[in-house]
Amino acid sequence: MSEGTSGTRSLPIGSIVLWVVRVALAAEFLYSGYLLFAGGHTEQTFAEIGLGQWLRYVTGVVEVGGAIGLLVPSLGGPSALLLAGVMVGASATELFILTNGDPVLPLILLIVTATLAWFRQDQTRALLGIEPPVDDEDYR
């Protein structure tokens, strides 16, 4: 049967992998945002940072909003870019500010979100109204 008569279409494996990554990242950031709102050890961590608890709530809102944005098809790229920025701050905080900081998880999340943002840069460009670069034969 041809593709048109079966009524189904197949997704490229790359699209499926990117969706699995988006869902996994969304779950991680929703959980992380929940922990930020719930308090507990995060209150102590943000007290050690020294900027006040407002930063904990702002970070929680950005993480939850970014997680939801990852699941919206047209916002996946911009959300990944936003969350990569949050992970830059989290990694730097773990490395340079916290006494017993462990930057492994923020660095892993930074790599994954930045990679996703790279693969979905067309969405970010479209949202911001930026034209994609024109391929130039001289640079090949």
Side-chain angles (χ1 to χ4, degrees):
M1 260 189 188
S2 71
E3 185 179 76
T5 60
S6 69
T8 62
R9 63 182 179 139
S10 62
L11 289 174
I13 191 72
S15 293
I16 294 169
V17 169
L18 287 177
W19 267 108
V20 168
V21 169
R22 287 166 76 165
V23 169
L25 280 174
E28 169 61 33
F29 282 108
L30 282 172
Y31 178 69
S32 178
Y34 162 76
L35 290 178
L36 289 169
F37 290 121
H41 73 86
T42 59
E43 286 181 12
Q44 298 164 354
T45 301
F46 279 82
E48 187 177 345
I49 292 171
L51 294 176
Q53 294 300 310
W54 66 270
L55 182 59
R56 178 170 60 98
Y57 293 112
V58 169
T59 304
V61 167
V62 171
E63 287 188 4
V64 170
I68 294 168
L70 287 173
L71 301 175
V72 176
S74 62
L75 297 178
S79 296
L81 188 61
L82 173 71
L83 292 169
V86 171
M87 289 301 101
V88 167
S91 299
T93 299
E94 294 283 350
L95 281 169
F96 303 116
I97 297 175
L98 298 178
T99 306
N100 294 320
D102 183 13
V104 174
L105 181 60
L107 287 172
I108 290 170
L109 290 172
L110 170 59
I111 291 167
V112 175
T113 54
T115 303
L116 180 60
W118 175 260
F119 280 109
R120 291 292 166 216
Q121 65 179 298
D122 55 328
Q123 295 173 337
T124 306
R125 289 178 189 275
L127 185 70
L128 297 175
I130 300 172
E131 294 292 322
V134 178
D135 288 340
D136 192 347
E137 295 291 328
D138 295 336
Y139 293 110
R140 289 185 187 179

